[in-house]
Amino acid sequence: MKRYLILLLCFIFSGINAQEESGAVSSEKMNIVKTNVTAYVFRNINLSYERAFNRWFSVNMGFGAMPEGKVPFINSFLNDEDEKKFQNLEVKAFNFTIEPRFYIGHGYGKGFYFAPYYRYSKVTSNTFDFYYDYRLNGNTYRIPIKGFGNTNGNSGGLMVGVQFFLTRKQNLVLDFWIAGAHYGAGKGDFTMTSDVILTPDMQAQLKKEIEDLDIPYVKYTVETNANGAHVKVDGPWIGFRSGLSLGFRF
């Protein structure tokens, strides 16, 4: 992923150098500040800045933050029974994206573009309550556990979109992210502790309980001890992008 970021920076600096060498000064407005309005549905507060360096090349940098709250669409990757075990799970998130854009057609921030990009993401949980049912000699005992942790990912991807100028002065902007996808690596650690001293058999059942959650697209390993469990995330990081941004050009 570091190699991808270095390649991305080379693209950016080559575009800047091309402008400097040409010595041409454009009368076009070269700066755009935007926010992705569709992201607010997911509590994602965001802001991005795009700078055009010439007709066909610009760089867009974006920041996004999701305040602590319920996990969006949690029932899409956990069934109802497993979701009940996370009684008050909440998360907050942060992401940073840098993308060079290559415009075809009109340019200077207008028209169709394709954009390779790098994204850093971090997700942090609150201290949440989890439970599992320990079975012994035909009896079932509910074991409460406290959990917390975070995970982060570095990924690279490609997006295709189109940007419009909405007014005669060309200062209001609509940026339509048609489709984008990224792939990379994610790492994280979650600690789960219990007030109950766990026997080896209780630890084995807890390990199986967590492993059977079977969260899609997430690879993790579970280690248990007398105090609870340690969950280590180490696997692919996958994401998709689409939406509408509104902005001001100056």
Side-chain angles (χ1 to χ4, degrees):
M1 195 52 57
K2 290 181 180 178
R3 186 179 303 173
Y4 180 89
L5 181 56
I6 291 171
L7 182 61
L8 204 56
L9 291 173
C10 288
F11 269 124
I12 293 171
F13 287 122
S14 65
I16 295 172
N17 290 336
Q19 185 200 29
E20 291 177 346
E21 290 173 2
S22 68
V25 177
S26 173
S27 60
E28 294 281 348
K29 300 171 184 177
M30 308 293 273
N31 306 283
I32 306 174
V33 176
K34 295 172 282 189
T35 186
N36 181 359
V37 294
T38 52
Y40 289 92
V41 176
F42 308 101
R43 305 195 316 277
N44 191 330
I45 302 167
N46 65 93
L47 187 68
S48 66
Y49 167 70
E50 181 178 356
R51 168 69 182 182
F53 292 100
N54 53 40
R55 179 181 293 276
W56 58 270
F57 180 78
S58 72
V59 175
N60 192 79
M61 293 182 292
F63 298 86
M66 185 178 72
E68 191 171 287
K70 297 293 185 182
V71 181
F73 305 114
I74 188 173
N75 55 3
S76 65
F77 52 86
L78 287 178
N79 60 44
D80 291 341
E81 193 62 34
D82 287 338
E83 185 181 348
K84 291 176 184 176
K85 297 174 183 177
F86 295 90
Q87 297 179 11
N88 61 340
L89 174 63
E90 295 188 347
V91 296
K92 59 182 178 180
F94 168 82
N95 65 73
F96 164 72
T97 307
I98 181 168
E99 59 182 49
R101 291 186 169 190
F102 300 90
Y103 283 88
I104 56 177
H106 184 276
Y108 290 111
K110 181 179 180 181
F112 284 95
Y113 61 84
F114 64 93
Y117 64 90
Y118 162 80
R119 168 168 282 197
Y120 170 79
S121 307
K122 183 175 182 179
V123 180
T124 304
S125 79
N126 65 336
T127 299
F128 60 89
D129 295 311
F130 178 81
Y131 72 83
Y132 82 104
D133 293 328
Y134 172 60
R135 296 172 178 83
L136 178 66
N137 299 327
N139 297 313
T140 300
Y141 305 91
R142 179 155 293 182
I143 309 297
I145 293 176
K146 294 282 188 182
F148 67 91
N150 64 76
T151 183
N152 60 79
N154 294 278
S155 53
L158 179 68
M159 185 172 71
V160 177
V162 60
Q163 192 156 261
F164 305 93
F165 300 157
L166 299 178
T167 59
R168 185 170 297 178
K169 292 184 178 180
Q170 299 188 349
N171 55 359
L172 293 181
V173 175
L174 176 66
D175 187 4
F176 176 29
W177 301 354
I178 298 173
H182 50 273
Y183 179 87
K187 291 183 180 294
D189 290 282
F190 289 85
T191 300
M192 308 183 76
T193 58
S194 174
D195 292 333
V196 178
I197 303 300
L198 304 180
T199 66
D201 186 53
M202 295 168 76
Q203 294 177 41
Q205 288 196 30
L206 174 60
K207 179 175 169 49
K208 185 176 187 305
E209 188 82 13
I210 298 173
E211 290 175 341
D212 286 349
L213 291 174
D214 193 28
I215 302 173
Y217 309 116
V218 178
K219 290 185 178 180
Y220 58 92
T221 56
V222 183
E223 296 178 356
T224 55
N225 53 54
N227 299 315
H230 177 239
V231 181
K232 184 177 181 180
V233 178
D234 189 357
W237 190 277
I238 302 171
F240 303 94
R241 298 174 68 194
S242 184
L244 288 171
S245 291
L246 291 175
F248 181 76
R249 183 172 179 252
F250 60 96

